[in-house]
Amino acid sequence: MYFAVRPSLMVVTLCLTCLSASAQQIERQKNSSAEVKSRSKSEGEERVKKAEELFESGQSAHQSGNLVKAVELYAEALKLDPELWQAEFQRGIAWVSLNKLAEAKASIDRVIDQLRQFPDSNDLRLVSSRIQVTLGQIAVAEDNSVEAEKAFRRALELNPQSTRAHAGLAEILLKAGKTAEAVTEAKAAIATGDDSDTAYSLLGAAQAQNGKYDDALLNFNEALKRDPKSLFALRYRADVFIAKGRLTEAIADFRSALAIEPHDQTKLKLASVYVQAKRYSEAIPVYQEVLKSDPSNAEALAALAAVMIESGKGGEAIAQLESLIKANPSRADLRAQLAELYLPTQPEKALEQYSAASKLDPSKPGHQIGVASALVKLRRFQEAVVLLQKVIAQNPKDDLAYFAHTNLAVALFELDDFQNAAREFIRVLDYQRNRGDQKRAAVTLYFIGICFDKLGDYEQALKAYEQFLGFASTDNQLEIDKVKLRLPSLQRQIKEGKGKRKQ
């Protein structure tokens, strides 16, 4: 999925109208309080009137997108009337849009404190539901899924028809891999009035993860009708097109997404589809473009090496890099690129170049991961495990972590350490799912199934095999045949009560 590389799908909807009956009711109660009565009537009325005018001006600025001005006007209104909780609430929402999360939380907490003085009522519950939605949005922005889910669920307890709570919960569940629940909540958001591209994109994404590609396409199409520039819908629809073997359409969607936002991860996806379509001459410049902005990008380096070899240009690239290294022997990045080219067919030379790069620039964990990948190719698995465990202890980020865990999973699997291999493959699978990489996820699920099978945990093995079959394509035909051959006996063993997790 694209959650790690895109802004949250939860769009903070501006609450630009007064809260009608509840606002008027609470305002009347407030205006009748002892504190108001204690003031001079004329002075109090003037201050309240001025505060309301400032509040309205703040909402106008808010609606026009001038959030900084809106915050200033809300603050001025609150100076005149500190109990004007509507202004505090709107200020909190504006703070969220400005990504001032601590300020937003403080505003919402003040609103909660102010509303405690009023008796419970249906109107108050509706207001409280909106407050919980805002708290959920703040938690989403803070990447605190646990608190976000609590807030959205509380909002729905207060108001089961809260469209924004359903949509927010759908996003959280999708991110957590709870796709069936995410489908339910996304449908509920639409049923309660959410006609946005976001709601349809969430529903499509959840359906795609469940392997319901035709249903997902329908909803991505609906999302793009509402917003042709929806990056999430374009990227996810492209993934679905890949899963269905419709590569030309996937390429078109990725290119449309890049025209809106030239993100490296999207470029890598586009290049990989070009490779699948054997359009190597178009893939190569895309990988090279990624490496211009990120010379140490492990995925781009590995893929470029593979595609140049596949397209018959490996020798040319190797010769060029060898020449550059002779002139610049202390360039660790050049040695790493050369190592990537050597890795598929000459792992001994790859190991030599990666080792040299690691010595020249020991601060880059990517070079050590490269050494480990060469060791795996050379079937020196125990050495690879020791090195990779040291690298992972350094907490490498993003792609580097992915490649470290991938190589470690393979090495452990080859050493018949299936329990630890399964743990690593599951980490790899989480990364692939977050990126929407269904092709690699299929292979990973296959190996997870084997690990659990070897461990005698037949129920988990069956679950992994079935998920593999849901993701697999014709590229995995050999593995598909093996799994289908294994399933009948595995199901029989489970039925007979056989198979317990080995310790």
Side-chain angles (χ1 to χ4, degrees):
M1 294 193 308
Y2 294 91
F3 294 113
V5 296
R6 65 180 179 84
S8 171
L9 278 173
M10 279 297 300
V11 178
V12 178
T13 305
L14 305 181
C15 303
L16 299 174
T17 59
C18 293
L19 298 178
S20 61
S22 64
Q24 294 168 13
Q25 179 188 13
I26 296 171
E27 187 66 27
R28 285 196 298 269
Q29 293 177 18
K30 182 184 69 173
N31 287 338
S32 64
S33 68
E35 181 180 350
V36 172
K37 288 180 180 178
S38 68
R39 297 186 234 163
S40 159
K41 183 176 180 181
S42 59
E43 179 183 339
E45 288 178 348
E46 183 63 28
R47 288 172 67 86
V48 168
K49 182 179 178 182
K50 181 61 177 175
E52 289 176 348
E53 289 173 355
L54 287 166
F55 174 56
E56 294 295 335
S57 297
Q59 288 198 110
S60 296
H62 202 156
Q63 188 172 31
S64 66
N66 191 345
L67 299 174
V68 174
K69 183 64 175 177
V71 166
E72 292 174 355
L73 290 166
Y74 293 143
E76 290 179 29
L78 287 163
K79 284 179 183 177
L80 292 172
D81 187 355
E83 293 186 7
L84 186 59
W85 63 266
Q86 295 94 330
E88 190 70 84
F89 182 48
Q90 293 296 99
R91 181 164 67 166
I93 292 175
W95 282 132
V96 175
S97 296
L98 289 167
N99 202 33
K100 299 285 188 178
L101 304 181
E103 291 89 340
K105 184 67 164 53
S107 284
I108 299 303
D109 285 344
R110 283 192 287 270
V111 174
I112 293 171
D113 285 339
Q114 286 178 305
L115 294 182
R116 285 196 178 105
Q117 64 183 297
F118 301 111
D120 185 33
S121 68
N122 185 59
D123 288 330
L124 184 60
R125 284 193 291 275
L126 292 177
V127 174
S128 297
S129 177
R130 295 177 69 181
I131 289 171
Q132 290 298 320
V133 167
T134 306
L135 289 174
Q137 292 169 340
I138 293 170
V140 168
E142 292 174 332
D143 200 26
N144 189 339
S145 297
V146 173
E147 288 303 314
E149 182 174 349
K150 286 180 182 178
F152 290 134
R153 291 194 185 280
R154 176 59 180 151
L156 289 170
E157 289 174 6
L158 292 162
N159 176 19
Q161 299 303 308
S162 173
T163 295
R164 280 172 283 177
H166 282 300
L169 187 54
E171 181 182 355
I172 295 300
L173 293 168
L174 180 64
K175 191 174 181 181
K178 300 176 181 178
T179 52
E181 295 174 70
V183 166
T184 299
E185 292 302 327
K187 286 182 176 179
I190 294 169
T192 52
D194 192 341
D195 194 42
S196 68
D197 63 286
T198 296
Y200 284 96
S201 293
L202 283 168
L203 179 54
Q207 290 169 331
Q209 286 199 30
N210 280 336
K212 305 292 185 181
Y213 298 129
D214 291 335
D215 291 339
L217 279 179
L218 290 174
N219 284 300
F220 288 132
N221 291 342
E222 288 296 324
L224 290 165
K225 283 180 186 177
R226 288 154 177 77
D227 181 7
K229 293 186 177 181
S230 170
L231 284 170
F232 185 64
L234 285 168
R235 290 166 174 165
Y236 241 111
R237 188 173 71 171
D239 287 336
V240 173
F241 281 141
I242 294 170
K244 291 179 69 67
R246 295 161 62 175
L247 302 184
T248 301
E249 290 159 293
I251 288 169
D253 273 358
F254 281 135
R255 292 179 67 170
S256 294
L258 285 170
I260 300 165
E261 181 185 291
H263 197 279
D264 278 355
Q265 192 56 49
T266 308
K267 292 176 185 177
L268 290 170
K269 296 282 287 187
L270 173 61
S272 70
V273 183
Y274 278 139
V275 172
Q276 281 184 254
K278 302 192 183 302
R279 293 164 61 172
Y280 303 124
S281 62
E282 293 170 274
I284 289 171
V286 178
Y287 284 127
Q288 291 172 332
E289 189 177 339
V290 172
L291 290 170
K292 282 182 183 178
S293 61
D294 183 8
S296 63
N297 188 293
E299 183 174 352
L301 285 166
L304 180 59
V307 73
M308 293 191 81
I309 291 170
E310 184 69 23
S311 62
K313 295 183 178 181
E316 176 186 332
I318 287 172
Q320 183 181 12
L321 280 170
E322 286 176 337
S323 177
L324 286 170
I325 288 170
K326 283 182 181 179
N328 304 276
S330 61
R331 286 278 301 275
D333 59 329
L334 293 177
R335 290 185 178 275
Q337 289 181 48
L338 179 58
E340 288 290 346
L341 289 169
Y342 280 143
L343 188 61
T345 58
Q346 301 180 73
E348 300 90 348
K349 289 188 175 183
L351 178 60
E352 179 185 343
Q353 293 300 328
Y354 274 132
S355 297
S358 183
K359 289 177 183 176
L360 288 166
D361 190 355
S363 66
K364 294 285 181 65
H367 301 326
Q368 297 177 61
I369 295 170
V371 171
S373 64
L375 290 171
V376 170
K377 276 278 186 180
L378 291 166
R379 302 190 66 78
R380 292 161 61 177
F381 301 120
Q382 191 59 56
E383 294 173 72
V385 167
V386 172
L387 178 56
L388 287 165
Q389 288 174 337
K390 290 180 181 177
V391 173
I392 290 171
Q394 299 170 22
N395 295 315
K397 303 298 182 184
D398 302 325
D399 285 350
L400 292 177
Y402 169 66
F403 282 102
H405 285 292
T406 300
N407 277 289
L408 180 56
V410 171
L412 291 168
F413 182 87
E414 292 290 345
L415 290 169
D416 293 342
D417 186 351
F418 298 115
Q419 187 165 330
N420 287 316
R423 186 178 297 113
E424 292 301 320
F425 278 125
I426 288 170
R427 290 194 181 101
V428 170
L429 181 64
D430 288 341
Y431 184 95
Q432 292 164 339
R433 281 176 167 166
N434 286 336
R435 294 175 56 183
D437 193 343
Q438 296 180 12
K439 183 178 179 180
R440 288 192 176 96
V443 176
T444 303
L445 283 163
Y446 173 72
F447 280 104
I448 291 172
I450 293 176
C451 288
F452 283 126
D453 209 344
K454 294 285 188 180
L455 290 166
D457 191 347
Y458 296 145
E459 289 187 358
Q460 289 292 338
L462 178 62
K463 182 179 178 181
Y465 286 144
E466 288 176 340
Q467 289 181 16
F468 159 74
L469 291 174
F471 281 98
S473 66
T474 53
D475 292 339
N476 313 115
Q477 193 57 53
L478 179 61
E479 291 81 8
I480 291 172
D481 292 341
K482 289 181 178 179
V483 168
K484 286 184 175 179
L485 188 64
R486 170 64 177 139
L487 284 183
S489 59
L490 183 62
Q491 290 166 337
R492 185 178 62 254
Q493 287 174 300
I494 293 172
K495 189 175 180 179
E496 293 172 352
K498 296 180 179 178
K500 295 181 179 180
R501 187 187 298 272
K502 295 181 181 178
Q503 300 299 320

Coordinates of all heavy atoms in Angstrom, one line a residue, residues 170-233:
A170 N -12.2 3.1 8.3 CA -11.8 2.3 7.1 C -10.4 2.4 6.8 O -9.7 1.4 6.5 CB -12.7 2.7 5.9
E171 N -9.9 3.6 6.9 CA -8.4 3.8 6.6 C -7.5 3.1 7.6 O -6.5 2.5 7.2 CB -8.1 5.3 6.6 CG -6.6 5.6 6.2 CD -6.3 7.0 6.3 OE1 -7.2 7.9 6.4 OE2 -5.1 7.3 6.1
I172 N -7.9 3.3 8.9 CA -7.1 2.6 9.9 C -7.1 1.1 9.7 O -6.0 0.5 9.8 CB -7.6 3.0 11.3 CG1 -7.4 4.5 11.5 CG2 -6.9 2.2 12.4 CD1 -6.0 5.0 11.5
L173 N -8.2 0.5 9.5 CA -8.3 -0.9 9.3 C -7.6 -1.4 8.1 O -7.0 -2.4 8.1 CB -9.8 -1.3 9.2 CG -10.6 -1.1 10.5 CD1 -12.1 -1.2 10.3 CD2 -10.2 -2.1 11.6
L174 N -7.7 -0.6 7.0 CA -6.9 -1.0 5.8 C -5.4 -1.0 6.1 O -4.7 -1.9 5.7 CB -7.3 0.0 4.7 CG -6.6 -0.2 3.3 CD1 -7.1 -1.5 2.7 CD2 -6.9 0.9 2.4
K175 N -5.0 0.0 6.7 CA -3.5 0.1 7.1 C -3.1 -1.1 7.9 O -2.0 -1.6 7.8 CB -3.2 1.4 7.7 CG -1.8 1.7 7.9 CD -1.6 3.1 8.4 CE -0.1 3.5 8.5 NZ 0.1 4.8 9.1
A176 N -4.0 -1.5 8.8 CA -3.7 -2.7 9.7 C -3.9 -4.0 9.0 O -3.6 -5.0 9.7 CB -4.6 -2.6 10.9
G177 N -4.3 -4.0 7.8 CA -4.5 -5.3 7.1 C -5.8 -6.0 7.4 O -6.0 -7.1 7.0
K178 N -6.7 -5.3 8.1 CA -8.0 -5.9 8.4 C -9.0 -5.5 7.3 O -9.9 -4.7 7.4 CB -8.5 -5.3 9.7 CG -7.6 -5.7 10.9 CD -8.1 -5.0 12.2 CE -7.1 -5.4 13.4 NZ -7.5 -4.7 14.6
T179 N -8.8 -6.2 6.1 CA -9.4 -5.7 4.9 C -10.9 -6.0 4.9 O -11.7 -5.1 4.3 CB -8.7 -6.4 3.7 OG1 -8.7 -7.8 3.9 CG2 -7.3 -5.9 3.5
A180 N -11.4 -7.1 5.5 CA -12.8 -7.3 5.5 C -13.5 -6.2 6.3 O -14.6 -5.7 5.8 CB -13.1 -8.7 6.1
E181 N -13.0 -5.9 7.4 CA -13.6 -4.8 8.2 C -13.5 -3.5 7.5 O -14.4 -2.6 7.6 CB -12.9 -4.7 9.6 CG -13.1 -6.0 10.5 CD -12.3 -5.9 11.7 OE1 -12.7 -5.0 12.6 OE2 -11.3 -6.6 11.9
A182 N -12.4 -3.3 6.8 CA -12.2 -2.0 6.1 C -13.3 -1.9 5.0 O -13.8 -0.8 4.8 CB -10.8 -1.9 5.5
V183 N -13.6 -3.0 4.3 CA -14.6 -3.0 3.3 C -16.0 -2.5 3.9 O -16.7 -1.7 3.4 CB -14.8 -4.3 2.6 CG1 -16.1 -4.4 1.8 CG2 -13.6 -4.6 1.7
T184 N -16.3 -3.1 5.1 CA -17.5 -2.8 5.8 C -17.6 -1.3 6.1 O -18.6 -0.7 5.9 CB -17.7 -3.6 7.0 OG1 -17.7 -5.0 6.7 CG2 -18.9 -3.3 7.8
E185 N -16.5 -0.8 6.6 CA -16.6 0.6 7.1 C -16.6 1.6 5.9 O -17.2 2.6 5.9 CB -15.3 0.9 8.0 CG -15.4 0.2 9.3 CD -16.6 0.6 10.1 OE1 -17.1 1.8 10.0 OE2 -17.1 -0.3 10.9
A186 N -15.8 1.2 4.8 CA -15.9 2.1 3.6 C -17.2 2.1 3.0 O -17.7 3.2 2.5 CB -14.8 1.6 2.6
K187 N -17.9 1.0 2.9 CA -19.3 0.9 2.4 C -20.2 1.7 3.3 O -21.1 2.4 2.8 CB -19.7 -0.5 2.3 CG -19.1 -1.3 1.2 CD -19.7 -2.7 1.1 CE -19.1 -3.5 -0.1 NZ -19.6 -4.9 -0.1
A188 N -20.0 1.7 4.6 CA -20.8 2.4 5.5 C -20.6 3.9 5.3 O -21.6 4.7 5.4 CB -20.5 2.1 7.0
A189 N -19.4 4.3 5.1 CA -19.1 5.8 4.8 C -19.9 6.2 3.6 O -20.5 7.3 3.6 CB -17.6 6.0 4.6
I190 N -19.9 5.4 2.5 CA -20.6 5.8 1.3 C -22.1 5.8 1.6 O -22.8 6.7 1.1 CB -20.2 4.8 0.2 CG1 -18.8 5.0 -0.2 CG2 -21.1 5.0 -1.0 CD1 -18.2 3.9 -1.1
A191 N -22.6 4.8 2.3 CA -24.0 4.7 2.6 C -24.5 5.8 3.4 O -25.7 6.2 3.3 CB -24.3 3.3 3.3
T192 N -23.7 6.4 4.3 CA -24.1 7.5 5.1 C -23.8 8.9 4.5 O -24.0 9.9 5.1 CB -23.4 7.5 6.5 OG1 -22.0 7.4 6.3 CG2 -23.9 6.3 7.3
G193 N -23.4 8.8 3.2 CA -23.4 10.1 2.4 C -22.0 10.5 1.9 O -21.9 11.6 1.3
D194 N -21.0 9.8 2.1 CA -19.7 10.1 1.6 C -19.6 9.8 0.1 O -19.4 8.6 -0.2 CB -18.6 9.4 2.4 CG -17.2 10.0 2.1 OD1 -17.0 10.7 1.1 OD2 -16.3 9.8 2.9
D195 N -19.6 10.8 -0.7 CA -19.6 10.6 -2.1 C -18.2 11.0 -2.7 O -18.1 11.3 -3.9 CB -20.7 11.4 -2.8 CG -20.9 10.9 -4.3 OD1 -20.8 9.7 -4.5 OD2 -21.0 11.8 -5.1
S196 N -17.2 11.0 -1.8 CA -15.9 11.5 -2.3 C -15.1 10.4 -2.9 O -15.3 9.2 -2.8 CB -15.1 12.0 -1.0 OG -14.8 10.9 -0.2
D197 N -14.0 10.9 -3.6 CA -13.1 9.9 -4.2 C -12.4 9.1 -3.1 O -12.0 7.9 -3.3 CB -12.0 10.7 -5.1 CG -11.2 11.6 -4.3 OD1 -11.6 12.7 -3.9 OD2 -10.0 11.3 -4.0
T198 N -12.2 9.7 -2.0 CA -11.5 9.1 -0.9 C -12.2 7.8 -0.4 O -11.7 6.7 -0.3 CB -11.3 10.0 0.3 OG1 -10.5 11.1 0.0 CG2 -10.8 9.3 1.5
A199 N -13.6 7.9 -0.3 CA -14.3 6.8 0.2 C -14.3 5.6 -0.8 O -14.1 4.5 -0.4 CB -15.8 7.2 0.4
Y200 N -14.4 6.0 -2.1 CA -14.4 4.9 -3.1 C -13.0 4.3 -3.2 O -12.8 3.1 -3.5 CB -14.9 5.5 -4.4 CG -16.4 5.6 -4.5 CD1 -17.0 6.8 -4.2 CD2 -17.2 4.5 -4.8 CE1 -18.4 7.0 -4.2 CE2 -18.6 4.6 -4.8 CZ -19.2 5.9 -4.5 OH -20.6 6.0 -4.5
S201 N -12.0 5.1 -3.1 CA -10.6 4.6 -3.1 C -10.3 3.7 -2.0 O -9.7 2.6 -2.2 CB -9.6 5.8 -3.0 OG -9.7 6.6 -4.2
L202 N -10.8 4.0 -0.8 CA -10.6 3.1 0.4 C -11.3 1.8 0.1 O -10.7 0.7 0.4 CB -11.2 3.8 1.6 CG -10.3 4.9 2.3 CD1 -11.2 5.6 3.3 CD2 -9.1 4.3 2.9
L203 N -12.5 1.9 -0.4 CA -13.3 0.6 -0.7 C -12.5 -0.2 -1.7 O -12.4 -1.4 -1.6 CB -14.7 1.0 -1.1 CG -15.6 -0.2 -1.5 CD1 -15.7 -1.2 -0.3 CD2 -17.0 0.2 -1.8
G204 N -12.1 0.4 -2.8 CA -11.4 -0.3 -3.8 C -10.1 -0.9 -3.3 O -9.7 -2.0 -3.6
A205 N -9.3 -0.2 -2.4 CA -8.1 -0.7 -1.9 C -8.3 -1.9 -1.1 O -7.6 -2.9 -1.1 CB -7.4 0.4 -1.1
A206 N -9.4 -1.9 -0.2 CA -9.7 -3.0 0.6 C -10.1 -4.2 -0.2 O -9.7 -5.4 0.1 CB -10.8 -2.6 1.6
Q207 N -10.9 -4.0 -1.2 CA -11.3 -5.1 -2.1 C -10.1 -5.7 -2.9 O -10.0 -6.9 -3.0 CB -12.4 -4.6 -3.1 CG -13.7 -4.3 -2.4 CD -14.7 -3.5 -3.3 OE1 -14.3 -2.8 -4.1 NE2 -16.0 -3.7 -3.0
A208 N -9.2 -4.8 -3.3 CA -8.0 -5.3 -4.0 C -7.2 -6.2 -3.1 O -6.7 -7.2 -3.6 CB -7.2 -4.1 -4.5
Q209 N -7.0 -5.8 -1.9 CA -6.2 -6.6 -1.0 C -6.9 -8.0 -0.7 O -6.2 -8.9 -0.3 CB -6.0 -5.9 0.4 CG -5.0 -4.8 0.2 CD -4.4 -4.4 1.6 OE1 -4.3 -5.2 2.5 NE2 -4.0 -3.1 1.7
N210 N -8.2 -8.0 -0.8 CA -8.9 -9.3 -0.7 C -9.0 -10.1 -2.0 O -9.6 -11.1 -2.0 CB -10.4 -9.0 -0.2 CG -10.5 -8.7 1.3 OD1 -9.6 -9.2 2.0 ND2 -11.5 -8.0 1.7
G211 N -8.3 -9.6 -3.0 CA -8.3 -10.3 -4.3 C -9.6 -10.1 -5.1 O -9.7 -10.7 -6.2
K212 N -10.4 -9.1 -4.7 CA -11.7 -8.8 -5.5 C -11.4 -7.7 -6.5 O -11.8 -6.6 -6.4 CB -12.8 -8.4 -4.5 CG -13.1 -9.4 -3.4 CD -13.7 -10.7 -3.9 CE -14.1 -11.6 -2.8 NZ -14.7 -12.9 -3.3
Y213 N -10.6 -8.1 -7.5 CA -10.1 -7.1 -8.4 C -11.1 -6.4 -9.3 O -11.1 -5.2 -9.5 CB -9.0 -7.7 -9.3 CG -7.8 -8.3 -8.6 CD1 -7.4 -9.6 -8.8 CD2 -7.2 -7.5 -7.6 CE1 -6.3 -10.1 -8.1 CE2 -6.1 -8.0 -6.9 CZ -5.6 -9.3 -7.2 OH -4.6 -9.8 -6.5
D214 N -12.1 -7.2 -9.7 CA -13.2 -6.6 -10.6 C -14.0 -5.5 -9.8 O -14.3 -4.4 -10.3 CB -14.1 -7.6 -11.2 CG -13.4 -8.5 -12.2 OD1 -12.4 -8.0 -12.8 OD2 -13.8 -9.7 -12.4
D215 N -14.3 -5.9 -8.5 CA -15.0 -4.9 -7.7 C -14.2 -3.7 -7.4 O -14.6 -2.6 -7.4 CB -15.4 -5.6 -6.4 CG -16.5 -6.7 -6.5 OD1 -17.2 -6.7 -7.6 OD2 -16.6 -7.5 -5.7
A216 N -12.9 -4.0 -7.1 CA -12.0 -2.9 -6.8 C -11.9 -1.9 -8.0 O -11.9 -0.7 -7.8 CB -10.6 -3.4 -6.5
L217 N -11.8 -2.5 -9.2 CA -11.7 -1.6 -10.4 C -12.9 -0.7 -10.5 O -12.8 0.5 -10.9 CB -11.5 -2.4 -11.7 CG -10.1 -2.9 -12.0 CD1 -10.1 -3.8 -13.3 CD2 -9.2 -1.8 -12.1
L218 N -14.1 -1.2 -10.3 CA -15.3 -0.4 -10.4 C -15.2 0.8 -9.4 O -15.6 1.9 -9.8 CB -16.5 -1.3 -10.0 CG -16.9 -2.3 -11.1 CD1 -18.0 -3.2 -10.5 CD2 -17.3 -1.7 -12.4
N219 N -14.7 0.5 -8.2 CA -14.7 1.6 -7.2 C -13.5 2.6 -7.5 O -13.7 3.8 -7.2 CB -14.6 1.0 -5.8 CG -15.9 0.5 -5.4 OD1 -16.9 1.2 -5.3 ND2 -15.9 -0.8 -5.1
F220 N -12.4 2.1 -8.0 CA -11.4 3.1 -8.4 C -11.8 3.9 -9.6 O -11.5 5.1 -9.6 CB -10.1 2.3 -8.8 CG -9.3 1.7 -7.6 CD1 -8.9 0.4 -7.6 CD2 -9.1 2.5 -6.5 CE1 -8.2 -0.1 -6.6 CE2 -8.5 1.9 -5.4 CZ -8.0 0.6 -5.4
N221 N -12.6 3.3 -10.5 CA -13.2 4.1 -11.6 C -14.1 5.2 -11.0 O -14.1 6.3 -11.5 CB -13.9 3.2 -12.6 CG -13.0 2.3 -13.3 OD1 -11.8 2.5 -13.4 ND2 -13.5 1.2 -13.9
E222 N -14.9 4.8 -10.0 CA -15.8 5.8 -9.4 C -15.0 6.9 -8.7 O -15.4 8.1 -8.8 CB -16.7 5.1 -8.4 CG -17.8 4.2 -9.0 CD -18.8 5.0 -9.8 OE1 -19.1 6.2 -9.5 OE2 -19.2 4.5 -10.9
A223 N -13.9 6.5 -8.1 CA -13.1 7.5 -7.4 C -12.5 8.5 -8.4 O -12.5 9.7 -8.2 CB -12.0 6.9 -6.6
L224 N -12.0 8.0 -9.5 CA -11.4 8.9 -10.5 C -12.4 9.7 -11.3 O -12.1 10.7 -11.9 CB -10.5 8.0 -11.5 CG -9.3 7.4 -10.8 CD1 -8.7 6.3 -11.6 CD2 -8.3 8.6 -10.6
K225 N -13.7 9.3 -11.3 CA -14.7 10.1 -11.9 C -14.9 11.4 -11.1 O -15.1 12.5 -11.6 CB -16.1 9.4 -11.9 CG -16.2 8.4 -13.0 CD -17.6 7.7 -13.0 CE -17.7 6.6 -14.0 NZ -19.0 5.9 -13.8
R226 N -14.7 11.2 -9.7 CA -14.9 12.3 -8.8 C -13.6 13.2 -8.8 O -13.7 14.4 -8.6 CB -15.2 11.8 -7.4 CG -16.7 11.3 -7.4 CD -16.9 10.2 -6.3 NE -18.3 9.8 -6.3 CZ -18.8 9.0 -7.2 NH1 -18.1 8.4 -8.2 NH2 -20.1 8.6 -7.1
D227 N -12.5 12.6 -8.9 CA -11.2 13.3 -8.9 C -10.2 12.6 -9.8 O -9.6 11.7 -9.4 CB -10.6 13.5 -7.5 CG -9.3 14.3 -7.5 OD1 -9.0 14.8 -8.6 OD2 -8.7 14.4 -6.5
P228 N -10.1 13.0 -11.1 CA -9.2 12.4 -12.0 C -7.7 12.4 -11.6 O -6.9 11.7 -12.2 CB -9.4 13.2 -13.3 CG -10.8 13.8 -13.2 CD -10.9 14.1 -11.7
K229 N -7.4 13.3 -10.6 CA -6.0 13.4 -10.2 C -5.8 12.7 -8.8 O -4.9 13.1 -8.1 CB -5.7 14.9 -10.1 CG -5.6 15.6 -11.5 CD -5.1 17.0 -11.4 CE -4.9 17.6 -12.7 NZ -4.4 19.0 -12.6
S230 N -6.7 11.8 -8.4 CA -6.5 11.1 -7.2 C -5.3 10.2 -7.3 O -5.4 9.1 -7.9 CB -7.8 10.3 -6.8 OG -7.6 9.5 -5.7
L231 N -4.3 10.5 -6.6 CA -3.0 9.7 -6.7 C -3.3 8.3 -6.1 O -2.8 7.3 -6.7 CB -1.9 10.4 -5.9 CG -1.3 11.6 -6.6 CD1 -0.3 12.3 -5.6 CD2 -0.5 11.2 -7.8
F232 N -4.0 8.3 -5.0 CA -4.2 7.0 -4.4 C -5.0 6.0 -5.4 O -4.6 4.9 -5.5 CB -5.0 7.2 -3.1 CG -5.1 5.9 -2.3 CD1 -4.0 5.2 -1.8 CD2 -6.4 5.4 -2.1 CE1 -4.2 4.0 -1.1 CE2 -6.6 4.2 -1.4 CZ -5.5 3.5 -0.9
A233 N -6.0 6.6 -6.0 CA -6.8 5.7 -6.9 C -6.0 5.3 -8.1 O -6.1 4.2 -8.6 CB -8.1 6.5 -7.3

